[in-house]
Amino acid sequence: AQSVTQLDSQVPVFEEAPVELRCNYSSSVSVYLFWYVQYPNQGLQLLLKYLSGSTLVESINGFEAEFNKSQTSFHLRKPSVHISDTAEYFCAVSEDNAGNMLTFGGGTRLMVKP
Amino acid sequence: EPEVTQTPSHQVTQMGQEVILRCVPISNHLYFYWYRQILGQKVEFLVSFYNNEISEKSEIFDDQFSVERPDGSNFTLKIRSTKLEDSAMYFCASSGDDRQAFFGQGTRLTVV
């Protein structure tokens, strides 16, 4: 069975600084990987996904994540954060043989300070 | 942009009462899901629904829970006899064949 670990529950960072939110997973089969963002009092929005192909995937608002199979990781990065990036970020995994069910990590609260 | 719609946004119910949470998935999607997030905890999978039947369910989804797609557009989650520990944010989601799940805004269920 798959599991997802987000090592940092909270990441405080100053505006315009770079940030990395870590995500590791465990699975014995091929996986699909996702990052979702949850702004205060809102639902989950897909930020980016890895299904196949290039291991580096990007979002429209400057985030990127790299699938590293050997390290079973899918860390999320942004070179320069904005106040508006303050939110909860969830890493999620779907196994190839488990339908479309998502297993979520515990979430990382990104707090961008001015 | 198409979106998943959930109603109500917040429901308060007494312990032992039945509740029905409603969702309107994206119209051309074929897979439907319910997840829940207890305050301060992970988002947890409850159930997936495809071709008018449950395709997967978690241990959380016991006999107190049921899902239905009554009219081809709505997708509902029913909890027959609510318990205090059912208090959580419940998210509905839908997807097509591309595994990209779109989530609704959630229904916050408070059992008192």
Side-chain angles (χ1 to χ4, degrees):
Chain A
Q2 70 240 42
S3 66
V4 182
T5 302
Q6 291 182 245
L7 293 169
D8 306 301
S9 59
Q10 293 187 59
V11 173
V13 63
F14 286 106
E15 194 173 19
E16 298 184 5
V19 71
E20 178 180 82
L21 307 184
R22 295 179 290 171
C23 172
N24 288 90
Y25 68 92
S26 67
S27 174
S28 57
V29 300
S30 297
V31 295
Y32 306 96
L33 298 154
F34 306 84
W35 276 98
Y36 283 85
V37 59
Q38 185 178 32
Y39 297 103
N41 301 314
Q42 295 190 28
L44 297 165
Q45 300 174 33
L46 181 68
L47 188 60
L48 45 75
K49 62 186 178 186
Y50 170 79
L51 301 180
S52 64
S54 173
T55 57
L56 183 66
V57 291
E58 299 176 351
S59 72
I60 58 173
N61 56 354
F63 283 95
E64 65 177 31
E66 186 160 19
F67 170 48
N68 188 319
K69 189 175 181 180
S70 62
Q71 296 188 4
T72 60
S73 68
F74 191 55
H75 300 331
L76 181 70
R77 302 183 185 95
K78 188 170 185 180
S80 176
V81 294
H82 303 288
I83 295 286
S84 59
D85 292 324
T86 295
E88 187 97 18
Y89 292 79
F90 293 93
C91 182
V93 167
S94 173
E95 284 188 328
D96 192 22
N97 63 352
N100 293 339
M101 180 188 91
L102 290 169
T103 298
F104 283 85
T108 297
R109 183 170 300 279
L110 176 64
M111 298 175 292
V112 182
K113 300 180 285 186
Chain B
E1 186 176 317
E3 60 180 15
V4 176
T5 306
Q6 290 185 244
T7 55
S9 57
H10 191 186
Q11 173 132 19
V12 180
T13 188
Q14 288 197 328
M15 193 169 53
Q17 294 297 304
E18 174 184 285
V19 294
I20 298 176
L21 309 183
R22 303 180 190 280
C23 169
V24 179
I26 292 172
S27 61
N28 62 345
H29 282 177
L30 302 174
Y31 301 86
F32 314 110
Y33 317 86
W34 284 100
Y35 290 80
R36 79 171 185 190
Q37 184 181 28
I38 294 172
L39 188 63
Q41 297 186 24
K42 289 186 179 186
V43 177
E44 302 171 292
F45 170 78
L46 292 179
V47 65
S48 61
F49 193 85
Y50 171 73
N51 200 25
N52 285 320
E53 61 183 22
I54 290 173
S55 49
E56 293 176 275
K57 61 181 181 178
S58 70
E59 293 177 353
I60 303 167
F61 194 87
D62 61 22
D63 292 344
Q64 291 298 310
F65 292 88
S66 62
V67 289
E68 194 176 35
R69 189 160 161 78
D71 56 12
S73 62
N74 290 286
F75 180 52
T76 62
L77 174 69
K78 181 193 291 186
I79 309 175
R80 288 189 183 80
S81 178
T82 50
K83 303 187 279 274
L84 293 176
E85 53 265 37
D86 293 326
S87 294
M89 182 73 91
Y90 288 80
F91 292 106
C92 174
S94 69
S95 69
D97 287 330
D98 63 354
R99 292 181 172 269
Q100 180 173 327
F102 289 80
F103 283 78
Q105 300 282 73
T107 293
R108 182 170 298 284
L109 176 66
T110 303
V111 182
V112 297

